[in-house]
Amino acid sequence: MYSEISAAELETQLKDGKSINLIDVREPDEWQEGHIKEARSIPLSELQDRISELQQGDQEIVLICRSGGRSGKACDFLQAQGYKVVNVTGGMLQWPGEVAFGS
C-alpha cells in the first residue's frame, strides 16, 4: 500500500520550503482552471508514456488530482513499477492554499 497525505499537510510542507516532486494527474482543462504552482502536469491518460519524466533523484512522487481517485490509480500503477509514491487524499477539492491559473 502506498502512503497518503492530506492536502493541508501538503500545503504545510510546501510552506515550510520542503522540496516535493508533485505531479498533478488531472486533464489539461482542469489544470488550467487552477493548480498548485509547485506541481507539474502529467495527465493520468499520458502517465504511462511520460513515466520517464516523473522521477527526481530519490524523492518520492506525490500525486494529486481533483478528489484523490485518479491519483490513487496513478499511485497503484507507479508503485507496481517500483516507484515510491504518495497520494494526496481529497485532492484539489480539499486544497486550502493558493492556486495558479493557466499553464
Side-chain angles (χ1 to χ4, degrees), residues 2-94:
Y2 51 79
S3 303
E4 294 184 325
I5 186 174
S6 73
E9 289 172 303
L10 174 61
E11 183 195 28
T12 298
Q13 289 182 5
L14 289 170
K15 278 187 172 176
D16 289 347
K18 183 177 179 187
S19 174
I20 296 177
N21 185 7
L22 180 61
I23 307 292
D24 189 321
V25 298
R26 297 175 302 152
E27 291 304 310
D29 60 321
E30 296 172 287
W31 169 267
Q32 298 284 338
E33 292 169 7
H35 56 271
I36 301 167
K37 73 177 186 320
E38 292 87 353
R40 291 183 293 146
S41 175
I42 301 180
L44 183 59
S45 60
E46 300 175 14
L47 192 63
Q48 199 165 355
D49 294 334
R50 296 177 63 186
I51 200 164
S52 64
E53 298 176 38
L54 296 176
Q55 200 63 46
Q56 290 186 337
D58 291 334
Q59 277 188 312
E60 59 195 9
I61 301 166
V62 180
L63 296 135
I64 191 166
C65 65
R66 189 178 76 84
S67 65
R70 281 175 284 177
S71 53
K73 288 179 183 173
C75 283
D76 287 337
F77 170 73
L78 292 172
Q79 188 173 40
Q81 311 298 314
Y83 290 92
K84 292 185 290 186
V85 294
V86 178
N87 188 25
V88 180
T89 58
M92 289 300 292
L93 290 177
Q94 299 293 315

